[in-house]
Every structure is written in C-alpha cells, then in structure tokens.
C-alpha cells in the first residue's frame, strides 16, 4: 500500500475539492492521507492533524519557519519520517520547496532540486525542467537537471534512452547566454543522449523527450505555453458559438475538440515532481480541480512504485557526483 500525504489546505478551491480528489484517487494500492485541521471532513480517509495554514501570499522560507505545524510542512514531514511515501500539495510553491529542503533534504551531491513539468507536446509528452525552483543556476546544475529529466522520462513517460535538448535562442551551440553556452559544452561531454539546443517555439511540437533550462527561463516558458493554450481554446470556443453555422460546425468537431482539450489540459497530469530530494514530492497547480488532485496523487504513487528517488540517487551517483562542486549552497527561496 502506497501512502500519499495530501495537503488539504493548499490550493485556491478549498479543502473540500482537495479531499474529494484524494478520495477519488484511493484504491487497493494507493492510500491518500489527508493533512489538515481536526474538524476537517476527510470523507473516511485517515487524517494527520495540522492546525496551521501557509497562505499563498506569505514569504515561503519565513512561513515554513514560523509555522512548523502547518498542513504543508506536516505533510512533507510525514514523508521525511517515513509515515508516508510521497507528498502532494497545491499550496505555496516556494513554501513547498522550502519545506521539502528542510524535511526531506537533498539527495547527496544534488546542488539544487528542480521542478519537472510534463509538456503535452504533439509528438508525445516531454518533460521541462527546471520549471521554477531556481531563478538562478550554474552550468553544472543544468547537467544535473538533464540527468534528473532522463530518469523521469524513462520511469514515468516510458521512454528508452530519452533525447535531451537545451532551451536556447538558437539551435547552434554558440547561440545563447553564457549559462547556456557553457551548459551545452558540459552536456555534450556526458553519456546522455544530448542532441543540442532547441527553441521555445518547438516546445508544443515535441522539441525533445527532456528540455533543460534554468528555473527563471523555464517558468516563463511554462506560463507562456499555458496561457497560449488557454487563450486558443477559449478563442476557438467563442468563435464556434458566435454564429448558427459555427455551432453546427462545432457539433461536427466536438469529439476531436474534446480529445484535444483533454490532451492540453494541465489537470490531465495533475502536478509536477520536485526532483533531487530524498523523498517524493508533487507540486500541484494552485487552482487544481478535484480531477487534478486525483491525478496528482496517482502521479505521486507512480513515482513511488517506479522508485524515482532511488533511480535518481543511483544515476546521479554514477554520472554526476564526481564533478560536483565542493560547496553546496542553498537554493534561493523567497
């Protein structure tokens, strides 16, 4: 039985929506455990009491230190203390990162954890990382992200020897910032299936199985992609329903439109792994629906089943640690 601690108080839609999603994810092999206040209706699921809440607008590191009994921190602590196998939260992303660093700690040799987001590309899903854990990064960090992304693609997406590309402003090795140019040189010297640079315009077509970048660039690219998808789908719906002829055409394309919407909907994947930690953590979107929480819990359980943490530790130990820097700074969490 895989136990997944679910932060009931994170997210914009309220604990009822999160609990409902956790209930839907419950099965013979997956046991969600709700973390929240004593009077919370868990609909029959086990409760771990946590009286405090970290709000979305609180400063992450300060909030984690000031509220050790908040639902987000207690949920992470459950994994660190091995009373749960994974944690899911739709709460404050910065606080989730800070709490995971405190309660789970990094895999030995990992400088900085990375958020790995699944991109619904036309040629099949790919993974983009870092998608926001680190605004600043060093070239060697991007090499570690590439190793993390390769494990993700192999174990979760089922891709054998995944192709990896570096997000830049041109495909040529000499294009890009000092960071990307040096990262390109380092990646080319690894035994990874590194295929060079890719540009942002190719993210939704299927630039590679794994696309690597720093957290600032990755988060901007992710938000632009999400916003573009949402605007296009809403614009298409408005145009189709604007006239009688459009409505008739809409009936004809409805099955295809539903398939496309399902593929592009972030709720389909539920959340993103925070990779590089000694425990498994899934960050869900702040506006996660019941369906998104269900899928986030399932994603967490799949990561436990596939031993993503163990595979990462082994992969990084064999391929990266020999070249790690002598110091291990703490990520810039605001």
């Amino acid at each position: 039985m895989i136990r997944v601690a679910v932060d009931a108080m994170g997210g914009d839609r309220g604990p009822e929506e999160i609990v409902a999603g956790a209930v839907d994810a419950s099965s013979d092999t997956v046991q969600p455990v709700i973390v929240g206040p004593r009077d919370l209706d868990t609909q029959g699921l086990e409760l771990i009491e946590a009286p405090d809440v970290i709000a979305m607008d609180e400063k992450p590191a300060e909030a984690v230190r000031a509220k050790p009994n908040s639902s987000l921190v207690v949920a992470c602590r459950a994994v660190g203390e091995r009373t749960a196998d994974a944690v899911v939260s739709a709460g404050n992303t910065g606080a989730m990162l800070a709490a995971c660093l405190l309660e789970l700690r990094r895999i030995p040799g990992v400088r900085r954890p990375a958020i790995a987001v699944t991109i619904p590309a036309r040629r099949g899903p790919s993974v983009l990382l870092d998608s926001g854990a680190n605004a600043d990064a060093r070239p060697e960090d991007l090499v570690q992200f590439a190793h993390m992304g390769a494990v993700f693609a192999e174990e979760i997406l089922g891709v054998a020897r995944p192709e990896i590309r570096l997000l830049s402003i041109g495909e040529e090795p000499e294009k890009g910032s000092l960071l990307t140019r040096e990262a390109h040189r380092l990646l080319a010297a690894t035994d990874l299936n590194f295929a060079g640079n890719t540009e942002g315009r190719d993210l939704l077509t299927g630039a590679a199985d794994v696309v690597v970048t720093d957290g600032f660039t990755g988060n901007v690219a992710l938000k632009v992609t999400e916003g573009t998808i949402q605007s296009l789908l809403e614009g298409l719906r408005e145009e189709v329903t604007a006239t009688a002829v459009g409505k008739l055409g809409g009936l004809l394309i409805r099955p295809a439109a539903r398939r496309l919407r399902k593929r592009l909907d972030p709720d389909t994947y539920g959340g993103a792994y925070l990779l590089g930690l000694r425990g498994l953590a899934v960050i869900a979107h702040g506006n996660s629906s019941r369906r998104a929480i269900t899928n986030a819990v399932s994603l967490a359980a799949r990561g436990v089943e596939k031993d993503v943490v163990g595979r990462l530790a082994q992969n990084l130990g064999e391929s990266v640690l020999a070249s790690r820097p002598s110091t291990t700074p703490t990520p810039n969490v605001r």
Side-chain angles (χ1 to χ4, degrees), residues 238-259:
E238 291 171 359
E239 291 296 327
V240 165
T241 58
T243 65
V245 174
K247 291 177 181 178
L248 178 60
L251 291 174
L252 297 176
I253 67 169
R254 181 176 292 175
R258 282 178 174 170
R259 289 194 300 271

Side-chain angles (χ1 to χ4, degrees), residues 121-164:
R122 221 167 62 205
R123 298 173 192 166
S126 63
V127 56
L128 173 69
L129 76 168
D130 179 18
S131 295
N134 308 280
D136 300 302
R138 297 178 183 177
E140 57 267 28
D141 295 332
L142 270 59
V143 175
Q144 288 196 346
F145 298 164
H147 282 278
M148 294 177 190
V151 171
F152 180 104
E154 290 170 357
E155 301 299 332
I156 302 302
L157 302 182
V159 179
R161 191 158 171 75
E163 181 183 88
I164 297 166

Side-chain angles (χ1 to χ4, degrees), residues 274-329:
L274 182 56
L275 299 177
L277 301 167
R278 297 189 186 191
L280 196 71
V282 171
I283 298 174
H285 198 282
N287 195 36
S288 289
S289 64
R290 173 176 182 165
R291 174 170 168 260
I293 294 298
T294 299
N295 290 334
V297 173
S298 298
L299 180 67
R302 192 156 66 251
V304 174
E305 182 182 7
K306 295 290 186 177
D307 190 24
V308 168
V309 172
R311 288 276 288 107
L312 277 173
Q314 178 184 7
N315 185 288
L316 293 171
E318 292 175 351
S319 306
V320 180
L321 298 190
S323 61
R324 72 182 186 270
S326 59
T327 57
T328 308

Side-chain angles (χ1 to χ4, degrees), residues 126-263:
S126 63
V127 56
L128 173 69
L129 76 168
D130 179 18
S131 295
N134 308 280
D136 300 302
R138 297 178 183 177
E140 57 267 28
D141 295 332
L142 270 59
V143 175
Q144 288 196 346
F145 298 164
H147 282 278
M148 294 177 190
V151 171
F152 180 104
E154 290 170 357
E155 301 299 332
I156 302 302
L157 302 182
V159 179
R161 191 158 171 75
E163 181 183 88
I164 297 166
R165 288 186 181 269
L166 181 66
L167 188 62
S168 188
I169 59 172
E171 295 183 359
E172 299 83 358
E174 64 273 10
K175 290 286 185 71
S177 64
L178 290 173
L179 172 66
T180 55
R181 295 200 301 272
E182 178 61 14
H184 187 286
R185 185 187 68 80
L186 294 177
L187 284 166
T190 69
D191 59 357
L192 293 166
N193 184 17
F194 178 59
N197 292 346
T198 189
E199 297 183 61
R201 66 186 177 189
D202 296 322
L203 284 177
L204 284 177
T205 59
D209 300 309
V210 179
V211 179
V212 176
T213 186
D214 62 275
F216 179 86
T217 305
N219 193 263
V220 171
L222 177 66
K223 296 296 174 59
V224 169
T225 301
E226 288 178 343
T228 300
I229 291 173
Q230 183 177 359
S231 295
L232 285 175
L233 291 177
E234 290 178 354
L236 177 62
R237 179 179 58 80
E238 291 171 359
E239 291 296 327
V240 165
T241 58
T243 65
V245 174
K247 291 177 181 178
L248 178 60
L251 291 174
L252 297 176
I253 67 169
R254 181 176 292 175
R258 282 178 174 170
R259 289 194 300 271
L260 179 63
R261 179 178 287 274
K262 182 179 180 180
R263 180 169 68 82

Side-chain angles (χ1 to χ4, degrees), residues 52-128:
D52 298 329
V53 177
I54 293 179
M56 289 292 193
D57 58 352
E58 290 190 67
K59 293 182 178 179
E62 293 180 9
V64 167
R65 287 193 294 267
K67 297 181 177 179
N69 294 319
S70 64
S71 58
L72 188 153
V73 176
V74 171
C76 293
R77 188 178 302 140
V79 179
E81 295 177 349
R82 299 183 182 275
T83 58
D85 301 299
V87 55
V88 171
S89 177
N92 185 313
T93 300
M96 183 66 168
L97 174 58
C100 284
L101 287 169
L102 177 66
E103 300 293 344
L104 305 184
R105 296 179 296 165
R106 290 174 286 238
I107 292 172
V110 171
R111 255 180 47 87
R112 299 187 173 189
I115 297 175
V117 173
T118 304
I119 300 293
R122 221 167 62 205
R123 298 173 192 166
S126 63
V127 56
L128 173 69

